[in-house]
Amino acid sequence: MAVFKEQSPFKTYTGDFTGFLVVVLAVLVVCVSRGKRRRTGTFPPGPPGWPLLGHLPLLGRRPHVKFSEWSREYGPVLGVRLGPRRVVVLNDYESAREALVVRADVFSSRPDLYLMRLFSNGGKGIGLAPYTAKWKAQRRFTDRTLRRLGIGKVTFEGKVMREVDDLVSKISDCHGAAFDPKYHVGVGVVNIVCSLVFGEHFKHDDPLFLKLFNALEDISRYGGSTKHLNIFPALRHVPVLNRGAVRTMAAVSNGRDFISAMIGQHKATFDPSNIRDFIDAYLLAISSEEIEEKRDRFLNEEELRQDIFDLFIAGTESTTATILWSLLLLSVHPEIQRKLQDELDSALGPHQDVSVLDRPYLPYTEATILEVLRFRPTPFGLPHATTADVTLGGFEIPAKTQVLINRWALNMDDRKWSHPDKFDPGRFVDPEGHLDVPVYFRPFLMGRRACIGSHLAKMELLLFLSTILRRFTIKPPEGTPAQSLEGHLGVILQPPSFRICAVPRSTTEN
Ligand code: HEM
């Protein structure tokens, strides 16, 4: 026994182990405290979060507002945790510009998130693809082709006006009775992208068109309820929690089928000497010798399908929502509406339709559109991601970090805007009555991923709004309670459902 005790390897081992443990613990303490210091010292700061869930339980229904509040305490470059992921949220113009313009080479990618991969068919197309040579080729081609097809210019105006006229005739059919404008505005906006990419305008009850329209509606309706899958992708296997994702993916697949069928039709009737639309232009680029050049080697049919899908996804819900917000806000601000109508009447005369060429004579109309974009923006646009370790505002941000630009905070920054929570188009007009847009107002953001459809969007907003307000005065239905103007954050900031009365102007004034 004594021998055993003396020679016990356990005793000897314990002694060594204790020493070893002390050393290891000491090293760990030093490492952890240094690591901690580095994390808290150089990763952007934020409020304390929960274990595992991070800041998710603290965000509420209006995360854009919460981030803005936190940024007042912790600074504009905010660090938060969404589940296991660290995310940086930029809350002022200076930090957003520094990232998107000055450090564009590092901040122009998209994060590798579960839903983004599904939506982009594994990183294809323009909107959700990572920042690679392949993305650059798609973006360059699309930019160039939209310009060649006359987007935003007077040559494309007829196609937009056809949808505007359809909408005006639907509104006339209501004879001043209350109606919900959402469906009619939505089909008009989707049809404009159809004209651009398919060279075709559909009747609103065409079953083929409805397949596409309903798919886009479902993506908008259910897409916002799937965000938790980006954070905890495993939840896609949990039956109730994956309902939104299942519906969204069914809609995505319907949308893709529709686009594939249209590409098939175009291939069957393709004539290189008669380029009708975006698909033809892309098919020409694929088949032409240009493809041999290095810069276009990434163009192919799969990418074409995804590019088109992106134009629909990014270009329709955002524009429809902005038109709806305009109608809602003007219906509750009759004095602003009247001023806008006065400007249209005196600039255009009684019978002339509005055109993009009239812009210089319509500063207050332009200012009203800008104010709608400022007052009710899509708070986060699309998420960005870093491609390398980088320093921003004195903080260190590792490669592959998700970065959100909180446009809500930019647009509501009271150091830049007086009374930011007041809807006031006059802020964009100088004392001489000229349009005055401050450099820090970027409704379509900036840098390499800035909105590719901004010219089309601005044209649509001008033509829809001016034409409606030349013909009608918009009012909330009599006796209805005041409408909430808060909106609902899904993929974008959706206006609440609302009804308006559009009273023909000839019977009310003039
Ligand atoms: C009121 C209407 C619109 C608004 C407010 C808007 C705003 C934006 C914003 C903020 C971004 C994100 C930029 C970034 O990630 O940094 C974006 C991206 C994009 N927008 Fe728009 N947009 C509108 C209409 C359109 C239209 C009409 C189209 C095309 C038909 C379009 C196509 C796109 C595409 C493809 C992207 C992704 C660009 C890329 O990742 O390179 N958008 N838009």
Side-chain angles (χ1 to χ4, degrees):
M1 188 71 166
V3 172
F4 175 79
K5 252 188 172 176
E6 273 165 24
Q7 295 180 346
S8 168
F10 183 73
K11 182 124 176 83
T12 315
Y13 181 69
T14 307
D16 284 350
F17 182 76
T18 308
F20 175 71
L21 204 65
V22 168
V23 171
V24 167
L25 276 177
V27 170
L28 268 179
V29 167
V30 171
C31 288
V32 167
S33 66
R34 284 182 65 188
K36 226 178 170 173
R37 234 190 353 259
R38 201 166 67 224
R39 266 201 300 279
T40 53
T42 62
F43 189 76
W50 287 30
L52 188 68
L53 296 175
H55 295 86
L56 285 174
L58 309 174
L59 293 178
R61 284 185 313 112
R62 306 176 78 207
H64 46 296
V65 177
K66 190 52 84 184
F67 288 143
S68 306
E69 283 168 18
W70 288 341
S71 75
R72 265 174 240 131
E73 190 174 341
Y74 295 93
V77 182
L78 193 68
V80 294
R81 216 159 36 76
L82 304 182
R85 277 174 190 272
R86 288 199 293 176
V87 174
V88 171
V89 187
L90 305 182
N91 289 280
D92 71 354
Y93 168 73
E94 285 73 17
S95 59
R97 186 180 177 281
E98 165 98 20
L100 302 184
V101 178
V102 181
R103 303 307 318 270
D105 51 328
V106 178
F107 281 90
S108 296
S109 202
R110 302 288 188 207
D112 182 16
L113 299 175
Y114 173 72
L115 287 173
M116 302 212 18
R117 236 178 295 148
L118 284 185
F119 268 97
S120 64
N121 197 12
K124 298 189 178 60
I126 321 167
L128 304 179
Y131 185 60
T132 57
K134 178 164 75 69
W135 171 81
K136 286 181 191 163
Q138 307 305 323
R139 170 94 196 197
R140 193 169 41 232
F141 174 82
T142 306
D143 257 331
R144 202 172 53 204
T145 306
L146 293 187
R147 252 181 283 124
R148 282 187 189 160
L149 293 171
I151 290 309
K153 299 199 200 109
V154 78
T155 42
F156 195 73
E157 201 167 81
K159 295 193 168 133
V160 177
M161 280 311 283
R162 184 168 53 191
E163 305 307 327
V164 173
D165 289 341
D166 260 6
L167 174 65
V168 164
S169 105
K170 294 285 182 313
I171 298 178
S172 296
D173 292 346
C174 297
H175 303 291
F179 70 102
D180 179 344
K182 186 171 180 205
Y183 173 75
H184 294 303
V185 172
V187 287
V189 169
V190 172
N191 238 337
I192 290 167
V193 181
C194 287
S195 300
L196 166 67
V197 292
F198 307 138
E200 204 174 327
H201 146 101
F202 295 88
K203 284 203 150 68
H204 294 181
D205 56 358
D206 182 328
L208 204 63
F209 173 71
L210 285 176
K211 184 176 173 185
L212 174 69
F213 182 75
N214 291 334
L216 294 169
E217 279 284 291
D218 282 355
I219 292 169
S220 149
R221 187 173 309 133
Y222 302 116
S225 66
T226 56
K227 282 181 247 169
H228 57 285
L229 296 187
N230 275 335
I231 297 159
F232 300 111
L235 294 179
R236 69 187 184 279
H237 302 299
V238 180
V240 178
L241 296 177
N242 70 4
R243 204 160 32 200
V246 170
R247 289 185 173 156
T248 308
M249 288 323 296
V252 168
S253 136
N254 284 341
R256 284 200 185 122
D257 287 352
F258 179 90
I259 295 168
S260 298
M262 296 305 289
I263 295 174
Q265 279 182 21
H266 275 66
K267 280 167 71 180
T269 54
F270 179 63
D271 171 3
S273 63
N274 176 26
I275 297 306
R276 299 160 291 186
D277 47 42
F278 186 83
I279 296 186
D280 273 359
Y282 205 109
L283 292 177
L284 181 69
I286 294 177
S287 65
S288 76
E289 284 181 4
E290 251 184 39
I291 198 73
E292 301 304 328
E293 291 177 31
K294 198 172 158 214
R295 64 196 178 100
D296 277 339
R297 72 182 190 274
F298 298 111
L299 303 189
N300 59 55
E301 224 174 290
E302 279 277 282
E303 293 285 348
L304 165 61
R305 192 172 66 148
Q306 188 61 36
D307 277 4
I308 296 175
F309 187 68
D310 288 356
L311 292 175
F312 275 108
I313 294 288
T316 56
E317 194 185 6
S318 50
T319 311
T320 301
T322 309
I323 296 172
L324 293 174
W325 274 119
S326 311
L327 296 176
L328 177 58
L329 289 164
L330 290 174
S331 74
V332 297
H333 288 285
E335 70 298 347
I336 294 174
Q337 185 176 171
R338 182 72 235 184
K339 204 166 164 187
L340 201 151
Q341 287 171 325
D342 287 347
E343 179 178 84
L344 289 166
D345 292 346
S346 63
L348 300 174
H351 303 298
Q352 191 190 326
D353 273 338
V354 67
S355 155
V356 283
L357 300 176
D358 298 318
R359 271 207 176 108
Y361 314 108
L362 301 172
Y364 194 75
T365 309
E366 290 264 74
T368 306
I369 292 168
L370 293 177
E371 179 63 349
V372 174
L373 288 165
R374 185 197 69 83
F375 191 69
R376 287 297 176 264
T378 290
F380 299 115
L382 294 166
H384 283 242
T386 51
T387 47
D389 293 354
V390 63
T391 304
L392 184 82
F395 300 107
E396 275 173 27
I397 303 176
K400 297 189 181 169
T401 301
Q402 184 179 339
V403 180
L404 298 174
I405 318 295
N406 186 3
R407 294 164 65 224
W408 179 270
L410 270 63
N411 294 0
M412 294 289 164
D413 186 341
D414 55 15
R415 292 164 307 168
K416 297 269 190 310
W417 309 93
S418 67
H419 305 293
D421 47 2
K422 184 173 174 221
F423 180 67
D424 175 17
R427 69 176 79 246
F428 288 110
V429 181
D430 71 14
E432 281 77 48
H434 300 126
L435 191 66
D436 183 13
V437 187
V439 65
Y440 49 80
F441 182 55
R442 298 303 184 103
F444 300 97
L445 272 176
M446 51 199 149
R448 298 185 191 163
R449 307 292 302 227
C451 178
I452 208 169
S454 61
H455 296 296
L456 177 58
K458 285 189 218 160
M459 175 187 233
E460 292 178 85
L461 296 173
L462 178 75
L463 298 182
F464 270 94
L465 202 62
S466 311
T467 310
I468 293 171
L469 291 179
R470 291 211 69 207
R471 313 270 171 93
F472 306 97
T473 293
I474 307 288
K475 299 177 175 183
E478 296 257 332
T480 48
Q483 180 67 258
S484 158
L485 298 176
E486 205 173 86
H488 159 73
L489 186 64
V491 178
I492 64 164
L493 188 64
Q494 290 283 0
S497 347
F498 65 96
R499 288 157 71 77
I500 43 169
C501 300
V503 183
R505 287 190 65 212
S506 50
T507 64
T508 55
E509 60 245 81
N510 288 341

